[in-house]
Tab-separated table of all heavy atoms in Angstrom:
chain	number	residue	atom	x	y	z
A	153	ALA	N	0.840	-1.201	0.000
A	153	ALA	CA	0.000	0.000	0.000
A	153	ALA	C	0.874	1.249	0.000
A	153	ALA	O	1.968	1.255	0.547
A	153	ALA	CB	-0.905	0.004	1.230
A	154	TRP	N	0.382	2.315	-0.656
A	154	TRP	CA	1.104	3.598	-0.659
A	154	TRP	C	1.203	4.111	0.781
A	154	TRP	O	0.244	4.033	1.539
A	154	TRP	CB	0.361	4.601	-1.530
A	154	TRP	CG	1.116	5.878	-1.725
A	154	TRP	CD1	0.995	7.022	-1.005
A	154	TRP	CD2	2.107	6.140	-2.712
A	154	TRP	NE1	1.856	7.977	-1.469
A	154	TRP	CE2	2.549	7.469	-2.524
A	154	TRP	CE3	2.674	5.366	-3.732
A	154	TRP	CZ2	3.528	8.043	-3.322
A	154	TRP	CZ3	3.640	5.956	-4.520
A	154	TRP	CH2	4.066	7.276	-4.314
A	155	PRO	N	2.382	4.613	1.187
A	155	PRO	CA	2.521	5.080	2.569
A	155	PRO	C	1.511	6.178	2.891
A	155	PRO	O	1.132	6.963	2.016
A	155	PRO	CB	3.947	5.626	2.601
A	155	PRO	CG	4.647	4.942	1.487
A	155	PRO	CD	3.627	4.741	0.429
A	156	PRO	N	1.073	6.255	4.147
A	156	PRO	CA	0.149	7.322	4.540
A	156	PRO	C	0.730	8.694	4.240
A	156	PRO	O	1.954	8.886	4.204
A	156	PRO	CB	-0.006	7.107	6.053
A	156	PRO	CG	0.375	5.679	6.277
A	156	PRO	CD	1.407	5.357	5.242
A	157	LEU	N	-0.160	9.668	4.022
A	157	LEU	CA	0.271	11.009	3.645
A	157	LEU	C	1.143	11.667	4.706
A	157	LEU	O	1.961	12.534	4.409
A	157	LEU	CB	-0.942	11.883	3.336
A	157	LEU	CG	-1.758	11.462	2.117
A	157	LEU	CD1	-2.983	12.357	1.979
A	157	LEU	CD2	-0.915	11.498	0.852
A	158	ASP	N	0.965	11.272	5.971
A	158	ASP	CA	1.744	11.898	7.040
A	158	ASP	C	3.021	11.128	7.357
A	158	ASP	O	3.655	11.359	8.389
A	158	ASP	CB	0.892	12.038	8.304
A	158	ASP	CG	0.387	10.688	8.810
A	158	ASP	OD1	0.575	9.682	8.097
A	158	ASP	OD2	-0.196	10.657	9.910
A	159	THR	N	3.428	10.207	6.470
A	159	THR	CA	4.645	9.430	6.684
A	159	THR	C	5.864	10.338	6.742
A	159	THR	O	6.018	11.252	5.922
A	159	THR	CB	4.829	8.404	5.544
A	159	THR	OG1	3.753	7.481	5.586
A	159	THR	CG2	6.146	7.658	5.689
A	160	VAL	N	6.768	10.062	7.677
A	160	VAL	CA	8.054	10.752	7.747
A	160	VAL	C	9.115	9.769	7.241
A	160	VAL	O	9.341	8.715	7.842
A	160	VAL	CB	8.382	11.211	9.175
A	160	VAL	CG1	9.761	11.856	9.210
A	160	VAL	CG2	7.323	12.187	9.676
A	161	TYR	N	9.743	10.113	6.138
A	161	TYR	CA	10.747	9.244	5.535
A	161	TYR	C	12.103	9.441	6.213
A	161	TYR	O	12.421	10.527	6.696
A	161	TYR	CB	10.871	9.547	4.039
A	161	TYR	CG	9.630	9.192	3.260
A	161	TYR	CD1	8.595	10.114	3.088
A	161	TYR	CD2	9.476	7.928	2.719
A	161	TYR	CE1	7.444	9.783	2.392
A	161	TYR	CE2	8.331	7.579	2.009
A	161	TYR	CZ	7.323	8.513	1.854
A	161	TYR	OH	6.180	8.179	1.173
A	162	THR	N	12.876	8.384	6.215
A	162	THR	CA	14.247	8.498	6.703
A	162	THR	C	15.056	9.386	5.759
A	162	THR	O	15.773	10.289	6.185
A	162	THR	CB	14.905	7.104	6.783
A	162	THR	OG1	14.036	6.209	7.456
A	162	THR	CG2	16.245	7.176	7.495
A	163	VAL	N	14.920	9.109	4.460
A	163	VAL	CA	15.641	9.850	3.422
A	163	VAL	C	14.707	10.040	2.241
A	163	VAL	O	13.954	9.121	1.886
A	163	VAL	CB	16.910	9.096	2.954
A	163	VAL	CG1	17.634	9.879	1.857
A	163	VAL	CG2	17.844	8.808	4.117
A	164	ILE	N	14.752	11.206	1.631
A	164	ILE	CA	14.117	11.416	0.334
A	164	ILE	C	15.179	11.926	-0.631
A	164	ILE	O	15.888	12.904	-0.348
A	164	ILE	CB	12.944	12.413	0.408
A	164	ILE	CG1	11.766	11.797	1.174
A	164	ILE	CG2	12.488	12.822	-0.997
A	164	ILE	CD1	10.565	12.718	1.308
A	165	LEU	N	15.314	11.227	-1.760
A	165	LEU	CA	16.187	11.646	-2.854
A	165	LEU	C	15.300	12.330	-3.885
A	165	LEU	O	14.456	11.690	-4.503
A	165	LEU	CB	16.896	10.438	-3.463
A	165	LEU	CG	17.707	9.568	-2.476
A	165	LEU	CD1	18.181	8.288	-3.150
A	165	LEU	CD2	18.889	10.350	-1.922
A	166	GLU	N	15.486	13.637	-4.050
A	166	GLU	CA	14.579	14.443	-4.858
A	166	GLU	C	15.021	14.541	-6.314
A	166	GLU	O	16.187	14.840	-6.605
A	166	GLU	CB	14.512	15.880	-4.318
A	166	GLU	CG	13.900	16.031	-2.958
A	166	GLU	CD	13.820	17.493	-2.557
A	166	GLU	OE1	14.688	18.291	-2.988
A	166	GLU	OE2	12.886	17.840	-1.819
A	167	ARG	N	14.070	14.287	-7.218
A	167	ARG	CA	14.185	14.624	-8.639
A	167	ARG	C	15.375	13.950	-9.326
A	167	ARG	O	15.940	14.493	-10.274
A	167	ARG	CB	14.264	16.142	-8.827
A	167	ARG	CG	13.069	16.929	-8.310
A	167	ARG	CD	11.839	16.700	-9.155
A	167	ARG	NE	12.019	17.173	-10.530
A	167	ARG	CZ	11.192	16.883	-11.526
A	167	ARG	NH1	10.141	16.091	-11.313
A	167	ARG	NH2	11.396	17.356	-12.744
A	168	GLY	N	15.712	12.753	-8.892
A	168	GLY	CA	16.770	12.028	-9.578
A	168	GLY	C	16.268	11.337	-10.827
A	168	GLY	O	15.057	11.150	-11.023
A	169	THR	N	17.188	10.962	-11.696
A	169	THR	CA	16.846	10.177	-12.880
A	169	THR	C	16.965	8.704	-12.503
A	169	THR	O	18.057	8.219	-12.212
A	169	THR	CB	17.776	10.514	-14.053
A	169	THR	OG1	17.688	11.912	-14.326
A	169	THR	CG2	17.380	9.732	-15.299
A	170	ILE	N	15.843	8.009	-12.488
A	170	ILE	CA	15.761	6.658	-11.938
A	170	ILE	C	16.117	5.615	-12.992
A	170	ILE	O	15.469	5.514	-14.036
A	170	ILE	CB	14.342	6.372	-11.397
A	170	ILE	CG1	13.877	7.486	-10.450
A	170	ILE	CG2	14.308	5.012	-10.723
A	170	ILE	CD1	14.723	7.680	-9.234
A	171	TYR	N	17.158	4.849	-12.701
A	171	TYR	CA	17.491	3.649	-13.468
A	171	TYR	C	17.170	2.481	-12.543
A	171	TYR	O	17.907	2.209	-11.589
A	171	TYR	CB	18.963	3.640	-13.853
A	171	TYR	CG	19.327	4.711	-14.859
A	171	TYR	CD1	19.652	6.006	-14.442
A	171	TYR	CD2	19.339	4.440	-16.227
A	171	TYR	CE1	19.978	6.996	-15.366
A	171	TYR	CE2	19.670	5.421	-17.152
A	171	TYR	CZ	19.989	6.698	-16.714
A	171	TYR	OH	20.314	7.674	-17.628
A	172	ASP	N	16.062	1.802	-12.785
A	172	ASP	CA	15.521	0.903	-11.765
A	172	ASP	C	16.165	-0.475	-11.718
A	172	ASP	O	15.802	-1.306	-10.882
A	172	ASP	CB	14.005	0.776	-11.904
A	172	ASP	CG	13.571	0.100	-13.208
A	172	ASP	OD1	14.441	-0.379	-13.971
A	172	ASP	OD2	12.346	0.064	-13.468
A	173	GLY	N	17.131	-0.739	-12.606
A	173	GLY	CA	17.828	-2.018	-12.592
A	173	GLY	C	17.249	-3.064	-13.512
A	173	GLY	O	17.853	-4.122	-13.713
A	174	THR	N	16.091	-2.800	-14.107
A	174	THR	CA	15.457	-3.774	-14.993
A	174	THR	C	15.886	-3.630	-16.444
A	174	THR	O	15.555	-4.476	-17.274
A	174	THR	CB	13.925	-3.641	-14.935
A	174	THR	OG1	13.543	-2.376	-15.517
A	174	THR	CG2	13.419	-3.716	-13.505
A	175	GLY	N	16.580	-2.534	-16.757
A	175	GLY	CA	16.916	-2.231	-18.140
A	175	GLY	C	15.911	-1.334	-18.811
A	175	GLY	O	16.086	-0.958	-19.979
A	176	SER	N	14.858	-0.971	-18.098
A	176	SER	CA	13.851	-0.065	-18.649
A	176	SER	C	14.407	1.347	-18.776
A	176	SER	O	15.394	1.717	-18.117
A	176	SER	CB	12.614	-0.037	-17.744
A	176	SER	OG	12.025	-1.317	-17.663
A	177	ALA	N	13.742	2.144	-19.625
A	177	ALA	CA	14.175	3.529	-19.821
A	177	ALA	C	14.080	4.302	-18.505
A	177	ALA	O	13.186	4.061	-17.687
A	177	ALA	CB	13.310	4.195	-20.886
A	178	PRO	N	14.985	5.244	-18.275
A	178	PRO	CA	14.965	6.012	-17.032
A	178	PRO	C	13.806	6.994	-16.983
A	178	PRO	O	13.231	7.357	-18.012
A	178	PRO	CB	16.306	6.746	-17.059
A	178	PRO	CG	16.631	6.882	-18.516
A	178	PRO	CD	16.101	5.634	-19.166
A	179	PHE	N	13.469	7.423	-15.780
A	179	PHE	CA	12.434	8.438	-15.585
A	179	PHE	C	12.802	9.258	-14.348
A	179	PHE	O	13.608	8.824	-13.513
A	179	PHE	CB	11.050	7.791	-15.413
A	179	PHE	CG	10.961	6.808	-14.269
A	179	PHE	CD1	10.547	7.222	-13.006
A	179	PHE	CD2	11.294	5.468	-14.463
A	179	PHE	CE1	10.464	6.318	-11.955
A	179	PHE	CE2	11.205	4.562	-13.412
A	179	PHE	CZ	10.791	4.988	-12.154
A	180	VAL	N	12.229	10.425	-14.239
A	180	VAL	CA	12.532	11.334	-13.137
A	180	VAL	C	11.491	11.163	-12.040
A	180	VAL	O	10.282	11.174	-12.306
A	180	VAL	CB	12.574	12.796	-13.611
A	180	VAL	CG1	12.761	13.754	-12.432
A	180	VAL	CG2	13.697	12.980	-14.631
A	181	ALA	N	11.950	10.981	-10.810
A	181	ALA	CA	11.046	10.825	-9.673
A	181	ALA	C	11.827	11.008	-8.384
A	181	ALA	O	13.065	11.084	-8.381
A	181	ALA	CB	10.380	9.450	-9.697
A	182	ASP	N	11.101	11.085	-7.277
A	182	ASP	CA	11.698	11.082	-5.950
A	182	ASP	C	11.730	9.655	-5.424
A	182	ASP	O	10.881	8.821	-5.777
A	182	ASP	CB	10.879	11.947	-4.981
A	182	ASP	CG	10.667	13.368	-5.484
A	182	ASP	OD1	11.570	13.893	-6.159
A	182	ASP	OD2	9.590	13.934	-5.214
A	183	VAL	N	12.692	9.376	-4.564
A	183	VAL	CA	12.787	8.057	-3.917
A	183	VAL	C	12.793	8.282	-2.414
A	183	VAL	O	13.628	9.030	-1.888
A	183	VAL	CB	14.062	7.306	-4.344
A	183	VAL	CG1	14.155	5.967	-3.613
A	183	VAL	CG2	14.084	7.087	-5.850
A	184	GLY	N	11.861	7.621	-1.735
A	184	GLY	CA	11.774	7.740	-0.290
A	184	GLY	C	12.177	6.457	0.404
A	184	GLY	O	11.716	5.368	0.041
A	185	LEU	N	13.059	6.568	1.402
A	185	LEU	CA	13.521	5.428	2.177
A	185	LEU	C	12.961	5.504	3.586
A	185	LEU	O	12.906	6.589	4.190
A	185	LEU	CB	15.055	5.401	2.249
A	185	LEU	CG	15.859	5.639	0.970
A	185	LEU	CD1	17.353	5.534	1.262
A	185	LEU	CD2	15.448	4.688	-0.132
A	186	ILE	N	12.565	4.364	4.099
A	186	ILE	CA	12.187	4.247	5.508
A	186	ILE	C	12.906	3.029	6.074
A	186	ILE	O	12.702	1.908	5.610
A	186	ILE	CB	10.668	4.108	5.704
A	186	ILE	CG1	9.927	5.339	5.198
A	186	ILE	CG2	10.352	3.875	7.181
A	186	ILE	CD1	8.420	5.248	5.332
A	187	GLY	N	13.754	3.262	7.050
A	187	GLY	CA	14.524	2.162	7.605
A	187	GLY	C	15.410	1.540	6.551
A	187	GLY	O	16.132	2.239	5.838
A	188	ASP	N	15.340	0.216	6.405
A	188	ASP	CA	16.207	-0.473	5.452
A	188	ASP	C	15.541	-0.737	4.109
A	188	ASP	O	16.075	-1.468	3.284
A	188	ASP	CB	16.712	-1.791	6.048
A	188	ASP	CG	15.594	-2.802	6.304
A	188	ASP	OD1	14.411	-2.443	6.121
A	188	ASP	OD2	15.907	-3.939	6.702
A	189	ARG	N	14.377	-0.108	3.869
A	189	ARG	CA	13.628	-0.394	2.640
A	189	ARG	C	13.324	0.871	1.849
A	189	ARG	O	13.275	1.982	2.392
A	189	ARG	CB	12.298	-1.077	2.992
A	189	ARG	CG	12.442	-2.397	3.728
A	189	ARG	CD	12.648	-3.555	2.798
A	189	ARG	NE	12.742	-4.813	3.521
A	189	ARG	CZ	12.616	-6.017	2.954
A	189	ARG	NH1	12.377	-6.109	1.651
A	189	ARG	NH2	12.742	-7.121	3.666
A	190	ILE	N	13.120	0.662	0.557
A	190	ILE	CA	12.565	1.713	-0.287
A	190	ILE	C	11.065	1.749	-0.012
A	190	ILE	O	10.374	0.733	-0.149
A	190	ILE	CB	12.832	1.429	-1.770
A	190	ILE	CG1	14.339	1.424	-2.054
A	190	ILE	CG2	12.131	2.461	-2.653
A	190	ILE	CD1	14.713	0.925	-3.435
A	191	ALA	N	10.567	2.915	0.391
A	191	ALA	CA	9.154	3.021	0.774
A	191	ALA	C	8.287	3.572	-0.337
A	191	ALA	O	7.108	3.229	-0.438
A	191	ALA	CB	9.009	3.887	2.024
């Protein structure tokens, strides 16, 4: 499930170009981490 709107992330990486590891074309997005996982 999408994290609740009031979630506090450990780290947010803003506006990076995402290469997701699958070989798919990159896209721009934020990445939020909570603890040891990508949230």
Side-chain angles (χ1 to χ4, degrees):
W154 187 265
L157 295 176
D158 59 352
T159 296
V160 177
Y161 294 89
T162 311
V163 179
I164 290 179
L165 304 171
E166 294 183 330
R167 300 290 297 168
T169 302
I170 309 299
Y171 292 86
D172 65 6
T174 68
S176 298
F179 57 92
V180 175
D182 305 327
V183 178
L185 314 181
I186 298 179
D188 65 354
R189 300 275 182 164
I190 297 170

